[in-house]
Amino acid sequence: QSVFCVENEYLDWVQKAYPSKEVKVMHQADTFLAGALSETSSESEIYICIENRYMNMVILKEGNLLLNNRYYY
């Protein structure tokens, strides 16, 4: 799991908008990694999520994590 900051006003807004739901805040990189790990394969795979000023890259080999990193450009 990643360590990151969420402004209280955003979290309060979501909790008020969905009072009967449990709110779980996750970093985008964590959800991207979870999605890549859910794709089981016996081969090497590269997953890239490209954003405006950075990209997240996940590399798996036979289902094992080799790299999970964010690169700014």
Side-chain angles (χ1 to χ4, degrees), residues 46-58:
I46 298 174
Y47 297 90
I48 300 173
C49 179
I50 299 173
E51 297 291 336
N52 191 23
R53 289 180 275 175
Y54 63 88
M55 70 177 186
N56 290 329
M57 181 183 292
V58 172

Side-chain angles (χ1 to χ4, degrees), residues 43-71:
E43 299 180 16
S44 297
E45 297 178 301
I46 298 174
Y47 297 90
I48 300 173
C49 179
I50 299 173
E51 297 291 336
N52 191 23
R53 289 180 275 175
Y54 63 88
M55 70 177 186
N56 290 329
M57 181 183 292
V58 172
I59 301 177
L60 304 174
K61 183 176 182 179
E62 298 175 357
N64 295 308
L65 180 64
L66 295 181
L67 174 83
N68 177 27
N69 208 350
R70 176 175 284 187
Y71 300 96

Side-chain angles (χ1 to χ4, degrees), residues 4 26-33 49-51 54 56 70:
F4 63 100
M26 296 180 68
H27 194 274
Q28 175 188 2
D30 290 337
T31 57
F32 179 63
L33 175 60
C49 179
I50 299 173
E51 297 291 336
Y54 63 88
N56 290 329
R70 176 175 284 187

